Amino acid sequence: MKTLIIGSSGKISKVFKDIYSNKKKNIFTTSKKKLVKKDTIYFDITKSNIIPILKKKNINKVIIFSAISNPEECKLKKKLSYNINVKYTKKLIKDLISLNVYFIFFSSEYVFNGLKGNYTEKSRINSKMIYGKHKIKIENYIKSKKYKNCLVLRISKTFGTSINDGTFFSSYLKSYLVGKRNFKIATDQIFSPLYINDLLKIINLSLKIKLTGLYNVCGSSTDTRINFVKNFFNLLKIKDVKLMKVPMKKFDNKIFYPLNISMKNNKIKKKLKFKFTKIENLKSKFV
């Protein structure tokens, strides 16, 4: 059984590729650069045809990481982000379905409008954000195809313990280590932060058993942005920082960030018998 990772330049895909593709000879990655490597295949979602690649390499599992996932970038580059996130992703999925290939698609907490929070897989999806709308279009497209050989994971904001992993708290810590002490952080956005290693384990487990369906993947605790950052600095016993309270609208610029995007992870926990990592247990893992 061979797996293809499409879009290996994002923060999650990079870590997944580094951990799993180096250990397994049956995992291939794609690149838009024409590299000569046994485990790297040239593929540009806007130009390439995936079908010959799947047939030649005998690929039967695909992880779709390819996306413009920065909401601000989606707003600034509307046509490009729509093409990558919707137009060509639909074509890719259509081709995967035509060959009955198992795939994993990553959706987002931003499919919700943020008015209630504690969203389950059955909660109504609705978003004013461009990025959120893109994810909704693909979720609805997959649903319309009634294709059962796939998995959709709605991912919450991730955090890690490496200052170079590009995840939520790590970016603050990296800035701190180069001298920054004052941070403006929103007080009114509520989310369910997800430890990136938990997500990687869930992806790997899902691939092994070919898990199908729709699942929320988020941490078990819910917090505001500012409390989350404050708690992490306290965990590391860092006291010389000043966290300035600001409303989320200060960062919005008509991106339409939803305020309460907390989700419930009961379905994935039960299905995989998975225990999510508690934040207080991560102090020793920071590197």
Side-chain angles (χ1 to χ4, degrees), residues 106-118:
F106 296 93
S107 188
S108 168
E109 62 195 350
Y110 285 134
V111 298
F112 298 112
N113 60 21
L115 298 179
K116 294 183 178 181
N118 291 322

Side-chain angles (χ1 to χ4, degrees), residues 117-162:
N118 291 322
Y119 295 107
T120 71
E121 289 79 0
K122 294 182 179 180
S123 298
R124 182 172 178 264
I125 53 177
N126 182 29
S127 178
K128 292 179 68 177
M129 177 189 284
I130 291 173
Y131 176 63
K133 288 179 178 180
H134 290 170
K135 292 300 183 183
I136 290 173
K137 284 182 181 295
I138 298 300
E139 280 197 26
N140 287 338
Y141 179 74
I142 294 171
K143 187 177 180 180
S144 72
K145 293 297 180 181
K146 298 181 180 178
Y147 186 63
K148 302 299 182 182
N149 194 25
C150 64
L151 174 65
V152 177
L153 299 178
R154 287 181 183 151
I155 308 300
S156 66
K157 188 174 295 297
T158 58
F159 67 93
T161 53
S162 169

Side-chain angles (χ1 to χ4, degrees), residues 8 29 45 75 156-157 168 213 216:
S8 56
T29 60
I45 194 171
K75 177 177 176 287
S156 66
K157 188 174 295 297
F168 184 54
N216 293 341

Side-chain angles (χ1 to χ4, degrees), residues 14 20-21 30 45 57 59 71 99 116 136 140 156 175 186-187 190 198 222 227 231 253 267 275 286-287:
K14 278 182 179 178
Y20 293 103
S21 64
T30 63
I45 194 171
K57 296 292 184 180
I59 302 290
L99 295 180
K116 294 183 178 181
I136 290 173
N140 287 338
S156 66
S175 296
T187 60
I190 302 168
D198 286 346
T222 297
N227 281 343
N231 289 338
N253 194 26
K267 185 180 177 183
K275 292 184 179 180
F286 272 90
V287 292

Side-chain angles (χ1 to χ4, degrees), residues 187-199:
T187 60
D188 53 352
Q189 190 184 58
I190 302 168
F191 66 121
S192 304
L194 171 65
Y195 182 38
I196 192 169
N197 284 20
D198 286 346
L199 173 57

Side-chain angles (χ1 to χ4, degrees), residues 83-123:
N83 284 342
I84 291 175
N85 292 350
V86 181
K87 180 180 177 180
Y88 292 109
T89 297
K90 279 186 177 181
K91 182 183 182 303
L92 172 63
I93 290 171
K94 181 181 179 181
D95 289 341
L96 296 177
I97 292 174
S98 72
L99 295 180
N100 195 33
V101 172
Y102 172 83
F103 68 85
I104 299 177
F105 172 76
F106 296 93
S107 188
S108 168
E109 62 195 350
Y110 285 134
V111 298
F112 298 112
N113 60 21
L115 298 179
K116 294 183 178 181
N118 291 322
Y119 295 107
T120 71
E121 289 79 0
K122 294 182 179 180
S123 298

